[in-house]
Amino acid sequence: MENRRPLILISNDDGVTAKGINELVRFLRPLGDIVVMAPDSPRSGSGCALTTTNPVRYQLVREEEGLTVYQCSGTPTDCVKLARNVALKRKPDLVVGGINHGDNSATNVHYSGTMGVVIEGCLNGIPSIGFSLCDHDNDADFEPAGPYIRKIAAMTLEKGLPPLTCLNVNFPNTPELKGVKVCEQAKGAWTREWEPCPRPGDPNCYWLTGVFSDSEPENEKNDHWALSHGYVAITPTTVDVTAYSFVDELKKRCLDL
Amino acid sequence: MENRRPLILISNDDGVTAKGINELVRFLRPLGDIVVMAPDSPRSGSGCALTTTNPVRYQLVREEEGLTVYQCSGTPTDCVKLARNVALKRKPDLVVGGINHGDNSATNVHYSGTMGVVIEGCLNGIPSIGFSLCDHDNDADFEPAGPYIRKIAAMTLEKGLPPLTCLNVNFPNTPELKGVKVCEQAKGAWTREWEPCPRPGDPNCYWLTGVFSDSEPENEKNDHWALSHGYVAITPTTVDVTAYSFVDELKKRCLDL
């Protein structure tokens, strides 16, 4: 006799006041009841980090029909864990991270707090999606992404996702989106990652920065390619990181141990 | 005309003074020149987190023949990035994380700062291994793990690892190790994760804790099973998290978008 609206848990890594998460709430409100549990300050690059050396706090920010907003002192992953196990009375039907101010395609998936939200939802057996826009601006324009976000979320609410599988969706920074491409994670590495900021008595001081070097820039299967050609990149992502293709060879090697 | 000793970069998430990392240095010194770049304080549960809101600093702690030790204000991932791109004069032949005080098998791979070290090495094309012992005690006994660690590291220096593939090696907390098992990542989820620590004016305050619930406790292929039966669990791990098996089905679903 299920007759209630879907429950959608939203978090991010840019913090509860970021434009991206508030636009996401606006886009998804027609689909269900929304609970936001998001960091009280920016937490970019959190990956799946947990808070282990301090207690974690949360508090109600706002409550209205179909929308409850909490802020939390912890990481994006803490936010999902705390919402799921403490603040929410039932299991969410969907966990959504974002909309991130910045690209989470390619190897960025490992560093992304937005994808930390999504991985945590997925590990808990909840269909989970991360949305990111390739624009770091505080006032980035999320409007072109809106219709896609609503459709991808509705499709996922309706059809679910396979076990251990979530979605990493990235939008290029263009008002003219060419449509959706299902992609593979681009391979490559960050280069030129440290900008010196020395001062007297503290010579070894650096800001993290960097340039992503794509190892296969012409590979049309990759999310990085799709983004640079104006497509919405949807990369299905697994939380089972076993390297199955290496198991047999490794077993042979380990006979010598 | 390569005639120098291998260069081994070591980091961890328990911090530069932890017993585990110092035991790891002792075990690996016969294999090459060692550089340690490790956090200046405990960073458990860092995952692949980066430091984005502050600059990152490092300083020399100790230098002797074949061993250089730095401490760093950043995360485990920052440590590898800073060593690789700033402190080291050449690319390491091996990156090693650990020895972690605590279990990094199963889904812990996502939260682990030790595996953050390893994933960063792997993303940079360097053979990389994480070692963890299922004992959180500050004075845990790493001695039984020593011979295995040295052999697994030597094997990896000699044979390398496939692209995008690293090793997650966990030791059960027993002096009587039954040998090595090549494993798959156990599936499951953490439960009972929050311990309330309310105080006046701050009712929604919690410490992270939890009990891991293995969804297939009798699956002999899994690392969690191997550990609970006294084996050293070696789980080959990939940094390509594309869910390839869902690509075709997702393409069909996306035709409706």
Side-chain angles (χ1 to χ4, degrees), chain B:
Chain B
M1 297 297 289
E2 191 74 26
N3 193 22
R4 45 190 184 187
R5 280 158 60 82
L7 178 61
I8 303 173
L9 173 62
I10 291 178
S11 191
N12 75 344
D13 68 358
D14 293 314
V16 70
T17 61
K19 182 175 177 182
I21 196 169
N22 288 288
E23 290 287 87
L24 181 58
V25 169
R26 185 166 67 87
F27 296 146
L28 295 187
R29 280 193 79 168
L31 301 186
D33 290 343
I34 310 270
V35 174
V36 173
M37 174 77 81
D40 56 16
S41 59
R43 293 283 199 152
S44 270
S46 287
C48 295
L50 303 170
T51 301
T52 58
T53 52
N54 284 298
V56 177
R57 299 167 162 79
Y58 75 96
Q59 59 188 125
L60 183 67
V61 175
R62 181 161 114 240
E63 192 161 26
E64 56 190 72
E65 178 66 31
L67 173 65
T68 307
V69 179
Y70 300 101
Q71 66 179 19
C72 170
S73 65
T75 65
T77 301
D78 292 330
C79 287
V80 177
K81 286 182 181 290
L82 204 54
R84 170 81 184 87
N85 295 311
V86 177
L88 293 179
K89 291 185 185 66
R90 60 181 169 110
K91 188 170 177 171
D93 301 291
L94 186 69
V95 170
V96 187
I99 308 169
N100 189 61
H101 294 242
D103 180 0
N104 281 323
S105 73
T107 61
N108 295 337
V109 64
H110 291 287
Y111 309 118
S112 164
T114 302
M115 287 307 293
V117 167
V118 175
I119 288 166
E120 187 60 28
C122 185
L123 286 170
N124 280 277
I126 306 166
S128 300
I129 316 170
F131 294 109
S132 304
L133 175 68
C134 297
D135 184 353
H136 281 96
D137 197 293
N138 287 341
D139 193 35
D141 180 13
F142 296 94
E143 199 60 46
Y148 288 97
I149 287 173
R150 199 177 293 124
K151 281 189 225 171
I152 293 166
M155 175 180 84
T156 306
L157 276 169
E158 185 195 332
K159 300 189 176 169
L161 289 172
L164 308 173
T165 307
C166 52
L167 301 181
N168 180 14
V169 182
N170 287 272
F171 292 90
N173 184 18
T174 166
E176 302 293 334
L177 296 168
K178 285 195 193 157
V180 159
K181 261 185 86 85
V182 176
C183 299
E184 301 175 8
Q185 173 199 320
K187 283 70 181 176
W190 284 88
T191 61
R192 290 186 277 159
E193 291 191 279
W194 297 101
E195 177 78 22
C197 57
R199 54 178 190 176
D202 192 7
N204 295 318
C205 183
Y206 298 85
W207 280 104
L208 187 61
T209 171
V211 177
F212 184 73
S213 171
D214 191 327
S215 54
E216 300 173 307
E218 300 308 319
N219 187 335
E220 298 188 10
K221 288 185 173 176
N222 286 349
D223 48 13
H224 202 247
W225 185 94
L227 291 167
S228 64
H229 289 78
Y231 294 95
V232 180
I234 308 191
T235 309
T237 299
T238 177
V239 297
D240 177 3
V241 293
T242 309
Y244 288 99
S245 63
F246 187 49
V247 166
D248 288 343
E249 166 65 18
L250 185 58
K251 280 182 178 168
K252 278 185 220 152
R253 292 189 189 182
C254 286
L255 294 176
D256 302 334
L257 291 183

Side-chain angles (χ1 to χ4, degrees), chain A residues 146-250:
Chain A
Y148 288 97
I149 287 173
R150 200 177 293 124
K151 280 191 225 169
I152 293 166
M155 174 179 86
T156 305
L157 275 170
E158 185 195 334
K159 299 189 176 170
L161 289 172
L164 308 173
T165 306
C166 52
L167 300 181
N168 180 13
V169 182
N170 287 272
F171 293 89
N173 184 18
T174 167
E176 302 293 334
L177 296 168
K178 285 196 194 154
V180 159
K181 262 185 84 82
V182 175
C183 299
E184 300 175 8
Q185 173 200 319
K187 282 70 180 177
W190 284 88
T191 61
R192 290 186 275 160
E193 291 191 280
W194 297 101
E195 177 78 21
C197 56
R199 55 179 190 177
D202 192 8
N204 294 318
C205 184
Y206 298 85
W207 279 104
L208 187 62
T209 171
V211 178
F212 184 72
S213 171
D214 191 326
S215 54
E216 302 172 308
E218 299 308 320
N219 186 336
E220 298 188 11
K221 288 185 174 176
N222 287 349
D223 47 14
H224 202 246
W225 185 94
L227 291 168
S228 63
H229 289 77
Y231 294 95
V232 181
I234 308 191
T235 309
T237 299
T238 178
V239 296
D240 177 3
V241 293
T242 308
Y244 288 100
S245 63
F246 186 49
V247 167
D248 288 343
E249 166 66 17
L250 185 58

